[in-house]
Structures are given as structure tokens and as C-alpha cells.
Amino acid sequence: MSTILYFIVALLLLALFIFVHELGHFLAARATGIGVKEFSLGFGPKLWGRLGKTGTQYALRIIPMGGYCAFYGEDGEESDREDAYRRQKVWKRMIATVAGPLMNVALAYVAMVILMLAVETILMVPMIYQVTPGSSAEAAGLQAGDVVVSVDGTEISYDTQGIDDLRALVQEAVPQDLSLVVQRDGQLLTRQVTPQQAQDGSWLIGITLGESYYRSLGAALTDGGRALSQVAVDIVGILGRILSTGEGVEDTTGVVGTVTLMAQTVQQGFVMVLYMVAVISLNLGIFNLLPLPALDGGHLLLQVIEVIRRKPMKPQHEIWIQSAGFLLIIGIFVLTTYQDIVRLISR
């Protein structure tokens, strides 16, 4: 696959993140009775458009680095409609606000669960996973799948401790041969193995231990949640340091850097793509919940204030706040894009 195709796949993945995010807003709005004026994937000139039966304009635009779900009455216009955004109860608007980031989190979780199902897991037990070609283990006739039962009469337990005991016995036996009893297809076999010295001075017989298996769906659902939780903790920690002390600002990437990273990851195979999808989608979900104007978290903060005050903010004031936030986001976009381009040029 050429570099151009890798970048096309990366752009399609970026479009997926945006589509899922905006789909969350769209579905939540539909569920709560908020009228959707336009559901668009991308910015700029329209490539394709269709007017739905409910009055929603569906559009595909030429620049795939964004998208939006616009509600009727959100900007103060068409506020006389019964389904206008500002006429809805605050709890409905809050649901429509958080649905976008939550859909990104959901996508990240699905990707992580699929990753857990796709990756072969090694359980650390004294089962031979691989025999090194040309090793004394191969010469002795040991095979992958053999379970080491005992070494020179010392029983080896079928757990991590058994691996530690086996390694210790190999080191202690030098320079003598080892008598390994292994279980193969229900039979016990005895093999004589001569340890060989490695470059670091240790003694080896040429086997890799561990039992391979693939997770069940139940285990993948649980393990995927645990793994995603740890990624979330790391992301929150990084964002916290950036916002509090500025640490790591120089390492942040914008759209250009993200697409470049995704294109490089696509070359590493399906498993790495799944991990990247999980991390980036979760990152987008968490970032959008930051209480900054123009982000979903900023909208949510204003809605929380509305709940506390028991009355909505004046539309004009809210528009001013969101406009200022939009300018801030544009500034961040320009800064990160500049940093991305500088990194690309300096390579």
C-alpha cells in the first residue's frame, strides 16, 4: 500500500471519529425532541446533500476535518419552532450535549474490546510455547505444547512460580544435563537437555514458555474496560499537566500531526489501528468535555449554571461566550498545526 493510500485511510478514520461524535448529538436530539437543522460531515462546499422528511438537511462537505450537528433555534433564529433548541428543557439539552463525547467513548470501548478479542494472550505457565531452532531443546525432541512436569525429579507447578523454579533449576544444573519430564497428548515423556550459555552469561535450553489463548467475549468486555480506564487516567493526567503547568504543550499535535500519526500506524497492521482508534476516540471524548467555551464541556457548564440559577442565560451573552471560545479553539488549531508542520519539515 502506498503512502497516499495510508493517508486516505487515516482521513477516513478521522471522518469516522467526527461522524460518531456528531451522530451522538443527532440521536440524542431526536430522542429528546430537539429539531436538527443540519447534520453535516466535513466543512466547506457541499459535495452531496439531501433534505430529510423531518426537515433535517444531510450534507457531505469537501473538507473531511470536521463536521457538525446544528439544531433549530440554537443560534437564536427560528426560535418560534416548537422543537427549537432553546425552547427545550435544560435536561434535554444537557443530554444532547454530552451524547457526542459519550459516543466517542463508546467507539473507543468497542475498538478496545475488538482488540482484546483479536490479540493472542500468553498465560505465564510452564508450557512450551516455542522451541528455538538449533537449540538443545530442539535436539532433545521437545515440542511446542509440551507441559514441563518435573526437572531432575523436582516437580514443576503449573503457574508462574513453576516458571521461576524451572529457570532456577536450569541455572543450578550447569554444566550437567537436565532430565525433563514433559506431558504430551496425555503421556509423560522424559528428555535429556544440555543447557547452553547465552551471550549475557546465563544458561538456556532454548524454549519459550507460556500458554496462548484468545479471550472470550465476556473476558474481552471486562479487560477492554480495564484497559480503556487506564488510558483515560493517562489522558486526564496529560491534559491536567498541560492546563495547570503547560508541561507537554510543545508535544501536542493538531489535525496534521494526528493524520500523519494515523497514517504511520495504519502501516503497522490491524491491531495497532484498533489501539489507535481507541486512544484517539477516547482522547476526543475527554477533550470535548473540558469546560471551555465552544467545546461540549463549555456548553454543559453553561447548562449547569442555568440549572443553578433556575433561568437560562440571555442568548446574546451565550453567543458572545461561545464566539470567544471558538476564537480560542481556532488559535489552538493554528498553533498545533504550525507545530505539526515544523516537525514534518525538520525530519
mmCIF file of all heavy atoms in Angstrom, residues 204-226:
data_model
loop_
_atom_site.group_PDB
_atom_site.id
_atom_site.type_symbol
_atom_site.label_atom_id
_atom_site.label_comp_id
_atom_site.label_asym_id
_atom_site.label_seq_id
_atom_site.Cartn_x
_atom_site.Cartn_y
_atom_site.Cartn_z
ATOM 1 N N LEU A 204 20.677 -21.380 28.971
ATOM 2 C CA LEU A 204 19.353 -21.570 28.374
ATOM 3 C C LEU A 204 19.264 -22.943 27.727
ATOM 4 O O LEU A 204 20.276 -23.537 27.360
ATOM 5 C CB LEU A 204 19.083 -20.495 27.305
ATOM 6 C CG LEU A 204 19.272 -19.029 27.709
ATOM 7 C CD1 LEU A 204 19.144 -18.134 26.479
ATOM 8 C CD2 LEU A 204 18.240 -18.636 28.762
ATOM 9 N N ILE A 205 18.044 -23.439 27.598
ATOM 10 C CA ILE A 205 17.851 -24.704 26.890
ATOM 11 C C ILE A 205 17.100 -24.490 25.577
ATOM 12 O O ILE A 205 16.938 -25.430 24.797
ATOM 13 C CB ILE A 205 17.103 -25.734 27.759
ATOM 14 C CG1 ILE A 205 15.723 -25.208 28.164
ATOM 15 C CG2 ILE A 205 17.933 -26.095 28.971
ATOM 16 C CD1 ILE A 205 14.906 -26.237 28.961
ATOM 17 N N GLY A 206 16.638 -23.245 25.333
ATOM 18 C CA GLY A 206 16.050 -22.925 24.032
ATOM 19 C C GLY A 206 14.551 -23.083 23.931
ATOM 20 O O GLY A 206 14.046 -23.506 22.889
ATOM 21 N N ILE A 207 13.843 -22.744 25.005
ATOM 22 C CA ILE A 207 12.381 -22.792 24.950
ATOM 23 C C ILE A 207 11.790 -21.474 25.438
ATOM 24 O O ILE A 207 12.366 -20.788 26.280
ATOM 25 C CB ILE A 207 11.800 -23.955 25.803
ATOM 26 C CG1 ILE A 207 12.229 -23.821 27.272
ATOM 27 C CG2 ILE A 207 12.198 -25.300 25.229
ATOM 28 C CD1 ILE A 207 11.591 -24.858 28.191
ATOM 29 N N THR A 208 10.648 -21.128 24.869
ATOM 30 C CA THR A 208 9.846 -20.005 25.355
ATOM 31 C C THR A 208 8.608 -20.578 26.005
ATOM 32 O O THR A 208 7.936 -21.443 25.431
ATOM 33 C CB THR A 208 9.438 -19.078 24.189
ATOM 34 O OG1 THR A 208 10.611 -18.606 23.537
ATOM 35 C CG2 THR A 208 8.630 -17.887 24.704
ATOM 36 N N LEU A 209 8.331 -20.126 27.216
ATOM 37 C CA LEU A 209 7.230 -20.700 27.992
ATOM 38 C C LEU A 209 5.987 -19.829 27.939
ATOM 39 O O LEU A 209 6.060 -18.617 27.765
ATOM 40 C CB LEU A 209 7.664 -20.893 29.441
ATOM 41 C CG LEU A 209 8.841 -21.850 29.664
ATOM 42 C CD1 LEU A 209 9.278 -21.806 31.115
ATOM 43 C CD2 LEU A 209 8.456 -23.264 29.267
ATOM 44 N N GLY A 210 4.859 -20.462 28.104
ATOM 45 C CA GLY A 210 3.595 -19.731 28.142
ATOM 46 C C GLY A 210 2.520 -20.436 27.333
ATOM 47 O O GLY A 210 2.799 -21.060 26.312
ATOM 48 N N GLU A 211 1.302 -20.354 27.809
ATOM 49 C CA GLU A 211 0.164 -20.954 27.105
ATOM 50 C C GLU A 211 -0.612 -19.845 26.397
ATOM 51 O O GLU A 211 -1.018 -18.860 27.017
ATOM 52 C CB GLU A 211 -0.754 -21.680 28.088
ATOM 53 C CG GLU A 211 -1.959 -22.321 27.428
ATOM 54 C CD GLU A 211 -2.859 -23.009 28.431
ATOM 55 O OE1 GLU A 211 -2.591 -22.915 29.651
ATOM 56 O OE2 GLU A 211 -3.839 -23.644 27.999
ATOM 57 N N SER A 212 -0.801 -19.985 25.105
ATOM 58 C CA SER A 212 -1.508 -18.963 24.339
ATOM 59 C C SER A 212 -3.007 -19.250 24.312
ATOM 60 O O SER A 212 -3.430 -20.408 24.269
ATOM 61 C CB SER A 212 -0.967 -18.906 22.907
ATOM 62 O OG SER A 212 -1.262 -20.103 22.224
ATOM 63 N N TYR A 213 -3.794 -18.184 24.351
ATOM 64 C CA TYR A 213 -5.249 -18.337 24.240
ATOM 65 C C TYR A 213 -5.847 -17.010 23.787
ATOM 66 O O TYR A 213 -5.202 -15.965 23.846
ATOM 67 C CB TYR A 213 -5.855 -18.750 25.578
ATOM 68 C CG TYR A 213 -5.863 -17.664 26.631
ATOM 69 C CD1 TYR A 213 -6.993 -16.879 26.854
ATOM 70 C CD2 TYR A 213 -4.731 -17.398 27.401
ATOM 71 C CE1 TYR A 213 -6.999 -15.880 27.811
ATOM 72 C CE2 TYR A 213 -4.726 -16.400 28.353
ATOM 73 C CZ TYR A 213 -5.865 -15.655 28.552
ATOM 74 O OH TYR A 213 -5.863 -14.658 29.489
ATOM 75 N N TYR A 214 -7.064 -17.083 23.323
ATOM 76 C CA TYR A 214 -7.809 -15.886 22.934
ATOM 77 C C TYR A 214 -8.963 -15.696 23.930
ATOM 78 O O TYR A 214 -9.588 -16.653 24.360
ATOM 79 C CB TYR A 214 -8.354 -16.012 21.505
ATOM 80 C CG TYR A 214 -7.290 -15.907 20.447
ATOM 81 C CD1 TYR A 214 -6.628 -17.041 19.981
ATOM 82 C CD2 TYR A 214 -6.921 -14.674 19.926
ATOM 83 C CE1 TYR A 214 -5.629 -16.945 19.018
ATOM 84 C CE2 TYR A 214 -5.924 -14.567 18.958
ATOM 85 C CZ TYR A 214 -5.293 -15.710 18.516
ATOM 86 O OH TYR A 214 -4.305 -15.603 17.571
ATOM 87 N N ARG A 215 -9.194 -14.454 24.281
ATOM 88 C CA ARG A 215 -10.212 -14.161 25.281
ATOM 89 C C ARG A 215 -11.616 -14.490 24.785
ATOM 90 O O ARG A 215 -11.902 -14.373 23.597
ATOM 91 C CB ARG A 215 -10.178 -12.676 25.666
ATOM 92 C CG ARG A 215 -8.943 -12.243 26.410
ATOM 93 C CD ARG A 215 -8.998 -10.742 26.664
ATOM 94 N NE ARG A 215 -7.869 -10.267 27.447
ATOM 95 C CZ ARG A 215 -6.686 -9.939 26.917
ATOM 96 N NH1 ARG A 215 -6.500 -10.056 25.615
ATOM 97 N NH2 ARG A 215 -5.708 -9.516 27.686
ATOM 98 N N SER A 216 -12.470 -14.855 25.716
ATOM 99 C CA SER A 216 -13.895 -14.979 25.418
ATOM 100 C C SER A 216 -14.480 -13.572 25.329
ATOM 101 O O SER A 216 -13.841 -12.591 25.734
ATOM 102 C CB SER A 216 -14.602 -15.766 26.516
ATOM 103 O OG SER A 216 -14.543 -15.036 27.755
ATOM 104 N N LEU A 217 -15.698 -13.470 24.823
ATOM 105 C CA LEU A 217 -16.329 -12.155 24.710
ATOM 106 C C LEU A 217 -16.497 -11.521 26.084
ATOM 107 O O LEU A 217 -16.251 -10.329 26.259
ATOM 108 C CB LEU A 217 -17.692 -12.281 24.017
ATOM 109 C CG LEU A 217 -18.494 -10.980 23.877
ATOM 110 C CD1 LEU A 217 -17.707 -9.936 23.096
ATOM 111 C CD2 LEU A 217 -19.845 -11.252 23.219
ATOM 112 N N GLY A 218 -16.889 -12.330 27.071
ATOM 113 C CA GLY A 218 -17.058 -11.795 28.425
ATOM 114 C C GLY A 218 -15.764 -11.243 28.989
ATOM 115 O O GLY A 218 -15.736 -10.162 29.580
ATOM 116 N N ALA A 219 -14.670 -11.998 28.798
ATOM 117 C CA ALA A 219 -13.365 -11.534 29.285
ATOM 118 C C ALA A 219 -12.909 -10.296 28.531
ATOM 119 O O ALA A 219 -12.319 -9.378 29.113
ATOM 120 C CB ALA A 219 -12.333 -12.649 29.143
ATOM 121 N N ALA A 220 -13.195 -10.254 27.217
ATOM 122 C CA ALA A 220 -12.801 -9.089 26.417
ATOM 123 C C ALA A 220 -13.564 -7.842 26.852
ATOM 124 O O ALA A 220 -12.998 -6.741 26.886
ATOM 125 C CB ALA A 220 -13.059 -9.366 24.934
ATOM 126 N N LEU A 221 -14.842 -7.995 27.193
ATOM 127 C CA LEU A 221 -15.633 -6.858 27.658
ATOM 128 C C LEU A 221 -15.061 -6.295 28.959
ATOM 129 O O LEU A 221 -14.973 -5.080 29.143
ATOM 130 C CB LEU A 221 -17.091 -7.273 27.868
ATOM 131 C CG LEU A 221 -17.886 -7.613 26.598
ATOM 132 C CD1 LEU A 221 -19.242 -8.213 26.963
ATOM 133 C CD2 LEU A 221 -18.081 -6.377 25.733
ATOM 134 N N THR A 222 -14.657 -7.199 29.846
ATOM 135 C CA THR A 222 -14.094 -6.764 31.130
ATOM 136 C C THR A 222 -12.690 -6.193 30.970
ATOM 137 O O THR A 222 -12.387 -5.090 31.449
ATOM 138 C CB THR A 222 -14.052 -7.946 32.114
ATOM 139 O OG1 THR A 222 -15.374 -8.464 32.293
ATOM 140 C CG2 THR A 222 -13.513 -7.496 33.467
ATOM 141 N N ASP A 223 -11.829 -6.932 30.275
ATOM 142 C CA ASP A 223 -10.445 -6.488 30.096
ATOM 143 C C ASP A 223 -10.367 -5.224 29.250
ATOM 144 O O ASP A 223 -9.520 -4.355 29.477
ATOM 145 C CB ASP A 223 -9.618 -7.594 29.441
ATOM 146 C CG ASP A 223 -9.450 -8.806 30.343
ATOM 147 O OD1 ASP A 223 -9.723 -8.677 31.552
ATOM 148 O OD2 ASP A 223 -9.047 -9.875 29.844
ATOM 149 N N GLY A 224 -11.268 -5.105 28.259
ATOM 150 C CA GLY A 224 -11.303 -3.893 27.441
ATOM 151 C C GLY A 224 -11.654 -2.675 28.268
ATOM 152 O O GLY A 224 -11.081 -1.598 28.093
ATOM 153 N N GLY A 225 -12.595 -2.853 29.204
ATOM 154 C CA GLY A 225 -12.961 -1.746 30.086
ATOM 155 C C GLY A 225 -11.821 -1.339 30.992
ATOM 156 O O GLY A 225 -11.567 -0.145 31.192
ATOM 157 N N ARG A 226 -11.099 -2.328 31.518
ATOM 158 C CA ARG A 226 -9.954 -2.027 32.392
ATOM 159 C C ARG A 226 -8.863 -1.279 31.617
ATOM 160 O O ARG A 226 -8.306 -0.292 32.098
ATOM 161 C CB ARG A 226 -9.378 -3.318 32.970
ATOM 162 C CG ARG A 226 -10.263 -4.022 33.997
ATOM 163 C CD ARG A 226 -9.444 -5.000 34.809
ATOM 164 N NE ARG A 226 -10.281 -5.830 35.663
ATOM 165 C CZ ARG A 226 -10.631 -7.078 35.383
ATOM 166 N NH1 ARG A 226 -10.183 -7.642 34.272
ATOM 167 N NH2 ARG A 226 -11.382 -7.784 36.204
#
